[in-house]
Amino acid sequence: MGEKKVSLPAKLINGGVAGLVGVTCVFPIDLAKTRLQNQQGIQVYKGMFDCLAKTVRSEGYFGCYRGAAVNLTLVTPEKAIKLAANDVFRQKLSKDGHLPLWGEVLAGCGAGTCQVVVTTPMEMLKIQLQDAGRLAAQRPVSAAAQAAAPGPAPSLVAPPPQAQPAPPQRPSATSITAQLLKTRGLAGLYRGAGATLMRDVPFSMIYFPLFANLNALGRDSAGSQAETQARAPFWQSFAAGCSAGSVAAVAVTPLDVIKTRLQTLQKGEGEDTYRGIVDCTRRILEREGPSAFLKGATCRALVIAPLFGIAQVVYFLGVGETALGIFG
């Protein structure tokens, strides 16, 4: 049998639904990842659980979903492009229904490149919204550290009362977008595009071939790869997606740290700003050591594993095909 042709509308629906379900489930962990990666001097959070607990305490439960609206809006086209592009590239590179390893890697590379068009502005906006709470929490910590520092003896005369500064206004995706477009043009939304590409292309080159091979384990390899993938049971597609996602996520964590630092516009007290990928890499290595490149690695694995596990389940269940059959 020949390889089954890709129904692009169905693949787009599958990717979109998978993205919406996955992001809703794991967004709080992604928020913790961003805040942990951006910590440089003052350590507001000791780890993922400490970050989530302090976020709920200071910002409420829905504080863990700051930036989720942007992600939920743009994750549909992002995941749709990624999964559909990989599927199309795999078919184009297949010969007689079989795809060599170099073809799998090349298809993943193409998918990662295509998705950056949507991923970069989505990540740019999401990071500002996620990190706003860390910057707000850092101020009391900084003030307490300054108060504890040795200094001149306090005066016996009470100082005149000072007006309390107004709390900073919470940013919104709309205000950030308008400000970026006003001051930097469209290029402002694509700040860190090179770093995003540097992260997403290797991720896809690792993820898609690894998933395809894990998903084909234990079954007869006769016939096309599409037929082998189609025979995969529900649990195997989910496990393969989770496993491949975890491995790829941890592998590219150093690149994700660089991307997060470059795309963060507002810095805390004493935190570095960077001129580019090379400058960011050098400064992190010099000031924080090699271990800083693995900040948020556990969070990334916990985010990406279920995200891509859910994505592959939705993809292989054919939710898009069913939807087109009902409404088509």
Side-chain angles (χ1 to χ4, degrees):
M1 285 179 65
E3 193 168 317
K4 185 175 70 175
K5 291 184 179 180
V6 175
S7 169
L8 190 56
K11 302 305 180 188
L12 293 175
I13 293 171
N14 285 332
V17 170
L20 289 171
V21 174
V23 166
T24 302
C25 294
V26 301
F27 192 84
I29 304 175
D30 185 67
L31 178 135
K33 183 228 41 151
T34 298
R35 294 186 176 185
L36 290 171
Q37 285 182 340
N38 267 331
Q39 287 193 138
Q40 295 182 42
I42 298 172
Q43 300 294 305
V44 179
Y45 311 111
K46 298 183 179 70
M48 180 183 71
F49 292 109
D50 182 55
C51 177
L52 292 174
K54 287 180 177 176
T55 299
V56 171
R57 197 178 306 131
S58 61
E59 303 170 55
Y61 172 75
F62 290 105
C64 293
Y65 281 87
R66 290 185 71 171
V70 172
N71 225 24
L72 291 171
T73 302
L74 295 178
V75 75
T76 300
E78 186 221 19
K79 288 292 179 284
I81 290 170
K82 186 188 189 91
L83 293 172
N86 178 71
D87 218 36
V88 170
F89 282 127
R90 288 179 70 88
Q91 287 196 10
K92 296 297 182 184
L93 294 169
S94 294
K95 279 190 175 182
D96 300 322
H98 292 278
L99 186 66
L101 181 60
W102 65 264
E104 294 183 1
V105 173
L106 199 58
C109 178
T113 303
C114 290
Q115 79 170 82
V116 169
V117 176
V118 176
T119 303
T120 304
M122 179 186 76
E123 292 274 314
M124 184 71 188
L125 297 173
K126 182 193 75 170
I127 286 170
Q128 316 316 315
L129 297 169
Q130 287 181 326
D131 203 45
R134 180 188 71 89
L135 295 173
Q138 191 188 68
R139 293 184 189 100
V141 174
S142 176
Q146 289 177 359
S155 171
L156 297 176
V157 180
Q162 295 181 348
Q164 290 292 327
Q169 190 175 8
R170 287 189 175 184
S172 67
T174 306
S175 64
I176 295 170
T177 303
Q179 185 66 18
L180 285 171
L181 291 174
K182 181 180 177 181
T183 57
R184 309 184 190 192
L186 188 61
L189 287 172
Y190 281 88
R191 173 171 169 161
T196 306
L197 196 66
M198 193 173 70
R199 179 200 66 173
D200 288 349
V201 170
F203 178 92
S204 296
M205 290 171 70
I206 296 168
Y207 172 79
F208 284 111
L210 182 57
F211 167 78
N213 285 278
L214 289 174
N215 204 39
L217 284 176
R219 291 192 307 285
D220 183 13
S221 59
S224 72
Q225 286 193 350
E227 290 168 342
T228 304
Q229 297 287 341
R231 290 198 299 268
F234 180 95
W235 66 266
Q236 188 167 358
S237 290
F238 182 80
C242 289
S243 301
S246 294
V247 171
V250 173
V252 302
T253 295
L255 305 174
D256 187 58
V257 171
I258 294 168
K259 183 201 73 68
T260 301
R261 295 282 183 92
L262 287 173
Q263 287 189 315
T264 302
L265 297 174
Q266 298 292 325
K267 300 291 185 179
E269 185 179 342
E271 294 181 349
D272 283 334
T273 55
Y274 310 103
R275 293 190 297 272
I277 294 172
V278 175
D279 181 56
C280 180
T281 305
R282 180 181 60 80
R283 289 198 184 200
I284 292 174
L285 196 58
E286 288 178 354
R287 302 192 182 191
E288 302 173 62
S291 62
F293 289 107
L294 290 176
K295 283 184 176 181
T298 302
C299 293
R300 268 187 65 75
L302 292 174
V303 167
I304 300 297
L307 192 64
F308 278 85
I310 292 168
Q312 292 301 340
V313 169
V314 172
Y315 207 58
F316 284 99
L317 284 177
V319 174
E321 288 87 338
T322 303
L324 288 175
I326 295 173
F327 300 105

